[in-house]
Amino acid sequence: MSLIRIGYIRAVIALGACLVWMALALAALAQGVSTTTVQGTVYEANGTPGSGTVQVSWPAFTTASNQTVAAGKIATNIGADGFLSVNLAPNLGSSPAGLYYTVVYHLSDGTTSTEYWPGDALELNAPSASLNAQVIVRAVKVTYAASCPDFVQYAISFANDWADDLAIKTSAAVPADAWLPAAIAPAYSPNLNGLSITSMSGNNVTINTGAAAPDGGGFEIRRRDNCFLAGEDSDLVMRGSQQTMTFSRISASDRFYIRMHDGSNPPNYSEFSAALIFNLPLNSGQ
């Protein structure tokens, strides 16, 4: 059973329901059906280990060794360190074909995510080695962290004894004699270190960015300090190419983040934002 990814999840599950589902699942698998371990580490978006529950459900099927598995579902807790481990009946060669497990993640902060786990076979096709075979996956350990693009680490254990020779071991360390391509330096627009507030009247704020906009570029003001981009969304306050900009406040504790961008497509932004943080009632002058 290969765990393709670990989702970020949030929601509260009643403990009583969890115990009932677990009991039903254990009863369904208590007839001597061999199981495969699926395990991994769940992380929240901020990089900390996740917590909550996982619900796994499946239809009735017959394993390749003619063992009958009744339809059921099971709920299990994600460990305090984000560790998740579930034992499930293998469905390689099962009937009906194409069976998959439906998995619903619930993290304690309220978000849910659904994914589907396929069978536990890994097909290897290497014509140069005259190899075309399926190997049985005993366990898959997945480590998933929030990044853009997504970065997932897999550690696969094979049930086939002969397949151990095919194992690939990787390391985070880079050998000293390795030839690596030159790192690509990201392009940034200048930071707005000289930005200042020039006036406040009523609910409006006027700023001087302290820098001239580059050709085809300008300045972007948002209510959050991430995901500066050319599109439109509710956190966008305004864009402009003028050095002096006036915009409106909406609360006594407003926060604004400003970056410069150039005329590239997509645009290159400042590496860091200039932040304006207010603790001032509306309609108050400076």
Side-chain angles (χ1 to χ4, degrees):
M1 177 63 49
S2 62
L3 175 57
I4 298 179
R5 66 179 180 83
I6 297 293
Y8 298 141
I9 343 146
R10 309 171 183 168
V12 178
I13 303 300
L15 178 59
C18 292
L19 294 176
V20 170
W21 290 332
M22 182 69 78
L24 291 174
L26 292 177
L29 297 177
Q31 305 302 318
V33 178
S34 59
T35 60
T36 296
T37 300
V38 180
Q39 63 184 21
T41 304
V42 180
Y43 291 97
E44 295 186 1
N46 60 6
T48 59
S51 63
T53 59
V54 174
Q55 303 171 36
V56 183
S57 59
W58 60 89
F61 67 96
T62 301
T63 67
S65 57
N66 292 321
Q67 294 175 310
T68 300
V69 178
K73 55 186 173 182
I74 129 181
T76 186
N77 292 327
I78 300 171
D81 56 355
F83 181 73
L84 170 66
S85 181
V86 185
N87 292 327
L88 298 171
N91 57 0
L92 175 64
S94 63
S95 177
L99 171 76
Y100 57 83
Y101 287 87
T102 300
V103 185
V104 181
Y105 297 93
H106 297 264
L107 275 192
S108 55
D109 54 7
T111 303
T112 63
S113 176
T114 302
E115 64 183 24
Y116 305 94
W117 293 351
D120 58 355
L122 178 64
E123 184 171 346
L124 299 178
N125 188 357
S128 61
S130 300
L131 176 64
N132 187 355
Q134 285 188 334
V135 294
I136 306 302
V137 177
R138 178 178 291 124
V140 179
K141 182 178 181 181
V142 180
T143 302
Y144 179 89
S147 62
C148 185
D150 287 342
F151 180 74
V152 182
Q153 292 179 316
Y154 295 86
I156 303 175
S157 299
F158 296 107
N160 310 62
D161 293 336
W162 63 268
D164 288 340
D165 294 334
L166 302 174
I168 301 174
K169 296 182 179 180
T170 61
S171 172
V174 178
D177 59 348
W179 287 81
L180 299 176
I184 300 176
Y188 293 114
S189 293
N191 296 319
L192 300 176
N193 298 324
L195 184 142
S196 62
I197 297 176
T198 58
S199 68
M200 294 181 62
S201 60
N203 298 341
N204 295 326
V205 180
T206 301
I207 62 170
N208 187 313
T209 61
D215 292 340
F219 307 96
E220 187 171 306
I221 305 174
R222 291 189 170 274
R223 297 187 181 278
R224 53 172 165 76
D225 189 21
N226 56 64
C227 295
F228 280 77
L229 43 82
E232 304 287 335
D233 60 60
S234 59
D235 289 313
L236 176 66
V237 177
M238 68 177 296
R239 293 189 183 94
S241 58
Q242 63 275 24
Q243 188 167 332
T244 300
M245 306 175 71
T246 300
F247 52 93
S248 299
R249 297 175 55 208
I250 61 173
S251 72
S253 57
D254 279 320
R255 294 182 177 221
F256 300 99
Y257 302 92
I258 305 98
R259 297 191 190 190
M260 178 189 289
H261 66 85
D262 62 16
S264 303
N265 185 19
N268 297 308
Y269 286 85
S270 305
E271 183 176 8
F272 302 105
S273 298
L276 301 180
I277 301 174
F278 294 92
N279 186 12
L280 185 70
L282 294 176
N283 300 311
S284 296
Q286 185 175 16

